[in-house]
Amino acid sequence: MKNPQRSPTNPGSLRSRFTQVFLQSLLRIRKHNPTSSSSSSHGEFLKRCRRVKVAAYVSMARAVGTRRAWSRATLWRARNGERQRNLLYGRCSKSNSRERSLGKRKRKKKKKKKRDNEEHSFGHAKKLQKLVPGGEAMDFCCLLDETAHYIKCLITQVKVMRSIADFYSL
Amino acid sequence: MEGSSTPLTQNSSTFGIGIHPNDQLPNCFLVTGWEDSLDQGDPFESALSSIVSSPVAPHAGEGEAGMIRELIGRLGSICDSGQASPGSYNHSTTNTPCYSTPLNSPPKLSLSMADQLAHGGFPAPGSHFPGHPSFVSVMADPGFAERAARLSCFGPRNVNAANLNGGLGLNASEFLGKQANKLDSGRFCRVPSSQSLRANVGSQICAQGNERSFLQPGVSTSTPENGEMGESREGSSISEQVTHGEMRANGQIDVNSRKRKPILKAKGRNSAVSPQSAKDSEVPMENEEPITKKIKPAETDGNEKDAAKGDQKQSKENSKMAEPQKDYIHVRARRGQATDSHSLAERVRREKISLRMKALQDLVPNCNKVTGKAMMLDEIINYVQSLQRQVELLSMKLSTLNPTVDFNLEAFLSKDILHPQGPLPNSLYPVDSSGSMLYSYQPPQGLMPMPSVVSSNMDAQFPVNFLNSGIHRDASLNLPLCVDNYGEASAPAPALWEDDLQSVVQMGLGQIEPQRVEQGSLATSQMKVEL
């Protein structure tokens, strides 16, 4: 295959980078959201799970860097999500307007790309576009490319998370 | 160097060339068989030897392209710097103008060569000599060997990038990688001369691989490569070949010119002049007839596959010439196909997509039997969804880890990364894809975080013998929520799920009663729905 997986012992490999970033973010989550098993409520637990999940995706996107569209989209979404939350709470008005305009531009771009997409398996492509972050703004060919890389990174992510969970729960 | 001494007719000669890790100008490499130059112990030779002998390092596709581009850039810089292999030239030939001048003006020659090479396809036997000085100067870069070594292993893939940037490195890598393989003897004859200009070495190597008449028709001395070598050594025929090659190259530049556009498939389209030879260099392993030009290394794989697919087309390939415009990818319509620019572009796009689909097919397990874009897309979507679900489950699991556990990075990295599988016991149950669902939620240390959710769903939905050996079969039927669509591929369970199952079983048996596991998995499914 063209893109062979890098060796796991390679210190600069995607896997090790992701592991480092993810563990750091887990530590951060634990520090900021200390929970004790006795007092965890359902809602808190869900929030925490969501934070860990987002941290996992963001860590992977950071490990990949910005050379992939999906990682850029993930990072942008993470940053944007924060700003949107601030929007809701009426904080940073300047950033609100900026983000709004940015969002509009992005939406326009996505719409345009959607129209350009004339792939015959359009329905599937749409579904895939929703799954892959940043997929809406791509033509079919790039979408397939990004999907391949995304799947590769997801596999790495799952492996690392599983090994972390196994390591620390044993 | 033994490489030079070995008969060029042998395919392995190119490898033989590589066997000399000397740090000297690799002149000899270009003039394989020109023993005089070889005695110099050229760094080029050593570089090439290292190329051949060094193992192929796996690189990502973009890595290759980047490597190639970098290499080409370095070669170009070398050319610009006007390096020249000092001694070898003098030894090698006497009356060849190209050789006489190299020391004086290698940059010019190399630049012209590089220019031609940029346009060329494969090295043609006859015209390889003029490229020699440029090659030597270019190849003098010690780093070249390394890269060429890496590139060589990739064979046809390198063609695109090299073509894109001037092909010097490509040629070396090309023939290094390929010559032992398939080059059919007759194929290379057809290589346009402009291509031949590109690689002395390549041509020589190819000549070796192809045995005889690798030379272009019309080249006076181009019969056995041994003869070539001899001539080159003496330098008598070089000038002739140079002129021949140059003329031919010029004549064929439009044919072979390729654009820098990073698109691809020149494969089926190109090579009106030398379809077969082009194909040769492309796909040694597939015994296909590769196409001359590859615009991009990434496309080479697709080209190879295209070659495999369109073999019959390629064999008949002829030439409807597409309008050669300087700022477009040169695409040739295949025989019997429409030459409309729209349909050509459409075909390019379709081949791109099929390339990518094949790459995805390799990534997604259990899709070998699936054919057709729609089915493949379904599989891909299912797989991505299942992976995302697994991430969710794992994040849930991680969020409930014992708070006192310290995320010791060093310990974890040293242990885990080096031993990714971990010391898991043998699974008590047959592992199949439904194991993923067993892994759905496993509260460590007996913690049950979702009593409320669970209690509301505490129906005996799951068989009591949930953890029994027959679980997997039953569970897959009874837990539709948890089972991925992807989990239907039961027989070849993905390896990761196997780990899942083992770890789950290990923890579950130790700490949690079957009921709780059921609740846990059900809770997980509920949570999944909620989340």
Side-chain angles (χ1 to χ4, degrees):
Chain A
M1 205 44 226
K2 226 184 355 163
N3 299 326
Q5 294 282 351
R6 302 196 194 191
S7 148
T9 56
N10 178 5
S13 75
L14 177 71
R15 184 192 172 104
S16 54
R17 284 202 310 268
F18 168 69
T19 312
Q20 287 177 6
V21 180
F22 185 52
L23 285 176
Q24 286 167 7
S25 49
L26 279 181
L27 273 170
R28 219 181 310 132
I29 289 178
R30 172 171 296 174
K31 224 194 311 175
H32 291 302
N33 307 291
T35 60
S36 57
S37 49
S38 57
S39 65
S40 63
S41 73
H42 180 36
E44 272 182 28
F45 177 74
L46 282 181
K47 247 194 280 182
R48 196 179 155 91
C49 287
R50 194 175 149 276
R51 266 195 214 106
V52 172
K53 186 178 70 158
V54 168
Y57 285 119
V58 170
S59 312
M60 181 47 88
R62 277 211 211 107
V64 166
T66 52
R67 55 179 187 267
R68 280 283 164 178
W70 68 265
S71 64
R72 286 195 296 269
T74 309
L75 293 170
W76 186 88
R77 210 181 278 174
R79 274 198 307 271
N80 199 31
E82 213 179 292
R83 291 225 179 95
Q84 276 179 353
R85 277 197 292 278
N86 290 342
L87 237 173
L88 282 176
Y89 299 135
R91 296 180 213 166
C92 342
S93 55
K94 270 194 234 168
S95 64
N96 288 352
S97 52
R98 201 170 355 120
E99 284 299 332
R100 255 181 269 143
S101 59
L102 265 177
K104 271 192 210 146
R105 255 184 281 141
K106 219 175 159 101
R107 280 194 296 274
K108 275 192 201 152
K109 188 170 145 208
K110 287 177 191 177
K111 269 195 218 160
K112 183 173 186 294
K113 293 289 168 125
K114 269 189 193 162
R115 280 198 295 267
D116 292 344
N117 193 343
E118 58 206 15
E119 183 57 38
H120 68 270
S121 50
F122 192 47
H124 294 309
K126 264 208 267 198
K127 229 172 152 186
L128 194 57
Q129 274 176 342
K130 291 206 184 76
L131 281 179
V132 176
E136 283 107 359
M138 291 182 211
D139 59 337
F140 191 63
C141 189
C142 296
L143 179 67
L144 290 182
D145 209 15
E146 295 290 322
T147 306
H149 193 264
Y150 185 58
I151 287 178
K152 199 168 61 151
C153 296
L154 271 183
I155 290 173
T156 309
Q157 187 174 345
V158 165
K159 278 193 192 146
V160 171
M161 287 175 76
R162 185 174 299 131
S163 53
I164 291 177
D166 295 342
F167 182 72
Y168 285 110
S169 61
L170 288 178
Chain B
M1 123 164 149
E2 66 251 24
S4 57
S5 54
T6 54
L8 294 170
T9 52
Q10 292 176 7
N11 288 344
S12 58
S13 57
T14 54
F15 295 109
I17 292 173
I19 296 179
H20 303 279
N22 306 326
D23 284 332
Q24 292 162 341
L25 267 186
N27 256 354
C28 49
F29 188 79
L30 290 175
V31 283
T32 31
W34 295 355
E35 285 160 5
D36 293 338
S37 55
L38 292 177
D39 295 341
Q40 302 297 321
D42 300 330
F44 180 77
E45 174 188 349
S46 61
L48 286 176
S49 64
S50 63
I51 290 173
V52 177
S53 50
S54 68
V56 182
H59 291 277
E62 54 264 20
E64 281 175 44
M67 222 168 31
I68 291 169
R69 279 187 220 112
E70 201 181 349
L71 175 58
I72 303 264
R74 289 183 70 171
L75 293 175
S77 65
I78 293 172
C79 290
D80 294 338
S81 64
Q83 297 177 20
S85 57
S88 54
Y89 286 112
N90 299 332
H91 283 280
S92 58
T93 75
T94 52
N95 50 353
T96 314
C98 58
Y99 291 111
S100 57
T101 53
L103 290 178
N104 303 332
S105 62
K108 293 188 209 138
L109 263 176
S110 54
L111 282 176
S112 71
M113 287 301 120
D115 187 46
Q116 285 170 343
L117 290 176
H119 296 303
F122 294 108
S127 48
H128 60 264
F129 296 115
H132 178 68
S134 63
F135 269 100
V136 179
S137 61
V138 167
M139 305 287 206
D141 185 11
F144 174 81
E146 217 181 297
R147 302 196 187 205
R150 284 188 236 142
L151 293 179
S152 65
C153 304
F154 298 125
R157 268 174 285 186
N158 299 330
V159 182
N160 281 346
N163 289 341
L164 186 62
N165 292 321
L168 284 176
L170 173 61
N171 291 330
S173 58
E174 254 181 18
F175 62 80
L176 278 177
K178 297 190 202 168
Q179 21 68 37
N181 297 331
K182 34 176 313 185
L183 310 169
D184 301 334
S185 53
R187 305 283 172 82
F188 263 103
C189 308
R190 278 21 120 72
V191 173
S193 54
S194 61
Q195 297 172 347
S196 70
L197 287 175
R198 264 213 262 165
N200 265 347
V201 195
S203 59
Q204 293 177 4
I205 302 284
C206 296
Q208 298 168 15
N210 292 332
E211 278 294 335
R212 48 251 39 128
S213 50
F214 170 68
L215 309 174
Q216 287 198 349
V219 177
S220 54
T221 57
S222 61
T223 33
E225 66 266 5
N226 287 334
E228 282 182 17
M229 290 309 126
E231 288 168 358
S232 64
R233 201 179 298 123
E234 297 154 4
S236 53
S237 60
I238 291 172
S239 48
E240 301 175 25
Q241 287 168 352
V242 174
T243 47
H244 280 302
E246 301 231 9
M247 286 181 342
R248 239 174 281 119
N250 292 335
Q252 296 171 356
I253 269 196
D254 61 335
V255 166
N256 299 321
S257 61
R258 293 293 175 260
K259 287 319 135 184
R260 305 297 186 245
K261 270 216 184 142
I263 306 223
L264 22 129
K265 316 275 176 116
K267 203 155 189 196
R269 323 315 172 47
N270 298 331
S271 71
V273 180
S274 61
Q276 293 158 351
S277 53
K279 295 171 206 167
D280 274 348
S281 60
E282 288 307 324
V283 189
M285 58 282 275
E286 296 185 20
N287 267 343
E288 293 290 327
E289 296 179 350
I291 300 195
T292 34
K293 303 288 174 88
K294 305 251 159 126
I295 304 300
K296 207 181 193 187
E299 301 312 329
T300 318
D301 289 345
N303 288 339
E304 293 174 8
K305 288 167 186 149
D306 284 345
K309 279 193 299 196
D311 189 19
Q312 56 281 10
K313 281 192 206 154
Q314 291 178 359
S315 56
K316 299 192 283 183
E317 170 171 338
N318 239 6
S319 30
K320 298 196 179 186
M321 299 271 290
E323 291 77 40
Q325 297 179 14
K326 289 302 176 184
D327 46 342
Y328 289 96
I329 297 290
H330 279 230
V331 166
R332 292 251 169 81
R334 296 196 197 139
R335 185 190 174 95
Q337 295 195 353
T339 52
D340 185 22
S341 65
H342 291 296
S343 52
L344 281 177
E346 184 65 29
R347 201 177 316 131
V348 169
R349 182 173 159 274
R350 260 184 274 134
E351 289 183 2
K352 251 205 283 188
I353 288 178
S354 69
L355 229 191
R356 306 260 161 93
M357 295 290 289
K358 281 201 174 63
L360 278 168
Q361 210 165 8
D362 293 338
L363 271 178
V364 177
N366 309 322
C367 63
N368 299 326
K369 303 186 186 103
V370 174
T371 49
K373 256 193 264 190
M375 302 279 293
M376 264 307 301
L377 278 173
D378 275 339
E379 281 293 320
I380 291 166
I381 289 170
N382 286 341
Y383 190 55
V384 171
Q385 280 172 343
S386 79
L387 285 174
Q388 288 177 340
R389 243 173 280 157
Q390 287 184 29
V391 169
E392 271 186 55
L393 295 175
L394 285 165
S395 69
M396 267 191 287
K397 186 171 187 236
L398 284 172
S399 65
T400 64
L401 278 180
N402 193 337
T404 62
V405 170
D406 179 28
F407 287 125
N408 190 349
L409 185 64
E410 285 77 23
F412 176 75
L413 280 177
S414 63
K415 176 187 186 273
D416 179 59
I417 291 200
L418 294 179
H419 309 285
Q421 296 309 315
L424 297 176
N426 291 332
S427 169
L428 295 184
Y429 306 114
V431 177
D432 70 0
S433 54
S434 61
S436 65
M437 130 197 68
L438 264 189
Y439 188 72
S440 58
Y441 187 69
Q442 193 61 269
Q445 294 91 30
L447 174 69
M448 180 56 65
M450 313 276 292
S452 56
V453 176
V454 170
S455 58
S456 62
N457 297 299
M458 283 258 292
D459 302 327
Q461 293 185 10
F462 308 108
V464 175
N465 60 344
F466 186 72
L467 286 178
N468 292 342
S469 54
I471 273 180
H472 294 274
R473 292 185 293 276
D474 296 340
S476 59
L477 296 175
N478 292 325
L479 292 173
L481 283 175
C482 297
V483 173
D484 297 337
N485 295 340
Y486 201 77
E488 291 158 9
S490 59
L496 25 123
W497 289 355
E498 194 167 344
D499 293 343
D500 262 350
L501 178 58
Q502 289 177 350
S503 58
V504 166
V505 167
Q506 184 189 15
M507 289 186 294
L509 290 180
Q511 302 170 358
I512 302 173
E513 301 160 8
Q515 285 293 326
R516 300 195 122 209
V517 173
E518 292 175 20
Q519 296 170 11
S521 50
L522 181 57
T524 304
S525 65
Q526 292 298 323
M527 289 196 310
K528 272 193 288 191
V529 170
E530 292 171 25
L531 291 175

